Amino acid sequence: MRQSAAERYADLRDAALVRDRPLFPAQRTPTELELQARWFAGDFGKQFQSTAGDEIEIVQFGTWNREAGPDFTDSAVRINGGEPVRGSIEFDLSDRSWEAHGHASNPAFDDAVLHVFVNAGAQQFFTRTSAHRNVPQVRVDPAALADAFVAGVPLAHAGRCQAPLSGLPEERVNGILDAAAQFRLRRKAARLQRIATDRGRDEALFQELAAALGYKQNKLPFTLLAQRLPLRTLRERADDAEALLFGTAGFLDAGDLAKYEQQARGYVRTLWDRWWPHRDAMQRLILPHKLWNFGGARPLNHPQRRLAALAVIARQWPAFSRSLEGNDASAIQHFFTELHHPFWDFHYTLIAERSATGMALVGETRITEILANVVFPWWSAGSTDHTGEYGKLRARLTNRRVETAATRLFGNDERRSTFMKTVAHQQGLLQIYEDFCMQDSSDCSRCPFPEQMQKWL
Ligand code: SF4
């Protein structure tokens, strides 16, 4: 059977992985919170072998725990195919953390059914509860994640593939970019489907929408917020949803209302009043301030504006859901363009002065990103073929990663802007950048992409 373009790109990528890639590309050390978010999203998978050799299946990942005790509560695991065992799951960077943090003598950890960790000490360590019950252990490897935590950021200079690429006909380069874009789309679709299998369609879409609203800089806090305040919770507590999001984000510190501009005071006061009754119960889940990245983004894209957009999306979820059913990108664009908020249509941040002119809650560029990262992947997982429509979606702007990738692959090739006109080509470029440039530690000399590409027909 004839291979699809995405399958051919996957082959090219896998061949490079086996033959030419350094065994241990430099990894950055992810934080515990980052890994916990990935665990909860199911990125590490659901089937594991415990350190004792037992088959462990995650039946339910549970929920982020608000109380004292393990990180995740209401979880369920199946051991060696038996009946699901319900309880809590603790995720640590080190196996020793269980002892070091006093969990072994803390009754709040007595219902733990699994201890997950990244690093194991030289000597075997057994996870035990205060009643001396042995808790199964699973070790996970962050390097095995599809988009592992690579340390280096490739320099924005023309790479070794610029010369061969500049000699290839335009259709051939477009063919490679299309194939990489299709591969990326499929991978996003598979991830969405996996989360949907665990948590349902709406929660999966909501979590990925939140991540898209977070941009690259704030993807983690937005993902954590959507995991800790799932759509169902926000819809059940519709009147408090916006306050819950702002409070859990850590944006509602107790403070002096005087620091807010006159018009903002009423809005902030409402948020506070709705947040206070929940604050004690949510204390453990409030995000640390250092998780947020406020630098570098355009004022329109301030995380507080994005969070307000998420609250409005949750409120209007049935309309979003309906617009998704039509399989029509313009209906999605219409939904997002029509989102409004009486405060955030005129403010950049909670403390900013009111702007004289209104501003879109979700702008055109972000809508395009949402289409590329959430909507088209979701549709592509279904039965209708959207390849043509996806391929035609015009890119609004580029970003630093896309520009760096283009510089490395195309240098000053005069066709560079032509290759970056569509969202699909930009996504394909990013895929190649992540698969090859970010994995390369030889300043291009041992990267197999230029030779592989020459063989692409
Ligand atoms: S690392 Fe590979 S793909 Fe990236 S610019 Fe260099 S040769 Fe090209």
Side-chain angles (χ1 to χ4, degrees):
M1 210 166 77
R2 196 158 172 250
Q3 272 188 313
S4 70
E7 287 164 346
R8 289 182 59 215
Y9 179 81
D11 282 353
L12 179 151
R13 180 178 175 274
D14 291 349
L17 193 84
V18 171
R19 276 190 261 130
D20 300 292
R21 204 166 282 182
L23 275 178
F24 304 106
Q27 303 282 317
R28 78 176 167 80
T29 308
T31 64
E32 186 170 276
L33 207 46
E34 224 172 337
L35 292 170
Q36 287 173 337
R38 300 293 298 266
W39 164 267
F40 189 75
D43 290 346
F44 285 100
K46 295 178 77 172
Q47 314 277 350
F48 302 93
Q49 190 168 60
S50 77
T51 53
D54 293 316
E55 299 301 324
I56 306 283
E57 180 194 349
I58 309 299
V59 181
Q60 279 172 17
F61 285 93
T63 56
W64 281 87
N65 191 3
R66 296 182 194 183
E67 317 282 337
D71 297 305
F72 303 103
T73 188
D74 301 321
S75 316
V77 301
R78 199 190 304 276
I79 303 171
N80 294 326
E83 285 298 308
V85 187
R86 299 187 179 278
S88 303
I89 296 178
E90 173 72 358
F91 188 114
D92 287 319
L93 284 180
S94 158
D95 59 349
R96 312 269 141 181
S97 299
W98 184 273
E99 203 67 51
H101 298 160
H103 302 337
S105 55
N106 183 348
F109 286 76
D110 279 357
D111 80 335
V113 289
L114 196 65
H115 182 206
V116 186
F117 52 81
V118 177
N119 302 310
Q123 293 208 326
Q124 193 171 11
F125 171 85
F126 294 97
T127 300
R128 293 192 180 279
T129 65
S130 68
H132 295 287
R133 179 173 59 82
N134 198 26
V135 179
Q137 301 171 321
V138 159
R139 187 178 179 188
V140 291
D141 179 9
L145 291 175
D147 50 344
F149 304 87
V150 177
V153 177
L155 296 172
H157 62 61
R160 192 166 68 83
C161 51
Q162 187 216 342
L165 263 178
S166 65
L168 287 186
E170 197 172 312
E171 316 80 70
R172 188 108 155 251
V173 180
N174 284 338
I176 297 166
L177 292 175
D178 283 336
Q182 287 296 323
F183 173 83
R184 191 173 181 85
L185 191 67
R186 281 193 186 188
R187 216 160 71 168
K188 286 181 194 290
R191 182 169 195 276
L192 252 171
Q193 264 196 322
R194 202 191 58 235
I195 302 176
T197 304
D198 285 336
R199 301 179 201 286
R201 162 208 191 253
D202 289 346
E203 293 298 347
L205 287 164
F206 184 67
Q207 286 183 23
E208 294 304 277
L209 271 177
L213 285 172
Y215 292 64
K216 184 149 178 64
Q217 303 96 308
N218 287 301
K219 189 174 173 180
L220 175 62
F222 268 84
T223 299
L224 283 166
L225 282 172
Q227 290 180 349
R228 292 175 173 191
L229 291 167
L231 180 67
R232 194 174 50 127
T233 303
L234 296 176
R235 301 264 317 146
E236 281 170 1
R237 298 177 175 182
D239 290 344
D240 296 347
E242 193 165 326
L244 280 166
L245 283 167
F246 274 80
T248 310
F251 293 155
L252 295 179
D253 296 334
D256 183 3
L257 269 182
K259 75 178 178 187
Y260 295 97
E261 187 238 353
Q262 177 71 28
Q263 283 183 320
R265 273 181 221 158
Y267 173 60
V268 176
R269 161 64 71 194
T270 308
L271 287 179
W272 277 4
D273 287 348
R274 292 203 171 275
W275 167 240
W276 278 170
H278 300 287
R279 194 177 70 146
D280 284 350
M282 294 295 289
Q283 195 66 42
R284 185 177 171 187
L285 299 186
I286 296 174
L287 303 187
H289 190 73
K290 63 176 188 225
L291 216 57
W292 291 101
N293 185 348
F294 296 105
R298 296 165 69 217
L300 270 175
N301 300 335
H302 191 281
Q304 290 175 347
R305 296 199 81 238
R306 297 293 165 232
L307 201 52
L310 189 64
V312 176
I313 292 167
R315 198 180 311 139
Q316 300 193 14
W317 192 260
F320 173 69
S321 198
R322 280 195 301 278
S323 70
L324 205 61
E325 295 302 326
N327 284 314
D328 175 7
S330 61
I332 304 288
Q333 279 162 326
H334 181 73
F335 169 81
F336 284 106
T337 310
E338 290 301 307
L339 293 182
H340 289 288
H341 190 290
F343 182 83
W344 292 105
D345 280 357
F346 295 94
H347 288 83
Y348 290 110
T349 69
L350 281 172
I351 55 169
E353 285 184 11
R354 183 185 162 95
S355 161
T357 51
M359 51 192 110
L361 197 55
V362 184
E364 289 292 334
T365 309
R366 197 55 6 200
I367 296 173
T368 307
E369 288 288 309
I370 288 170
L371 282 168
N373 290 297
V374 186
V375 175
F376 275 105
W378 178 255
W379 282 341
S380 82
S383 52
T384 317
D385 182 11
H386 287 276
T387 315
E389 204 181 350
Y390 175 62
K392 282 188 212 139
L393 195 63
R394 305 295 286 182
R396 301 276 165 185
L397 282 177
T398 60
N399 57 43
R400 194 168 55 84
R401 268 157 55 86
V402 172
E403 287 296 339
T404 303
T407 300
R408 291 182 66 85
L409 265 73
F410 304 128
N412 53 8
D413 188 328
E414 57 191 22
R415 302 171 300 171
R416 171 178 166 144
S417 59
T418 314
F419 292 138
M420 294 162 66
K421 272 191 186 148
T422 63
V423 168
H425 281 181
Q426 289 193 4
Q427 292 286 311
L429 199 53
L430 278 177
Q431 190 63 45
I432 295 167
Y433 175 76
E434 286 168 14
D435 287 339
F436 293 90
C437 300
M438 288 188 69
Q439 303 292 334
D440 175 65
S441 51
S442 67
D443 197 18
C444 292
S445 67
R446 285 175 40 224
C447 173
F449 185 68
E451 287 73 32
Q452 298 276 348
M453 196 181 51
Q454 294 278 17
K455 295 182 209 155
W456 189 274
L457 291 174

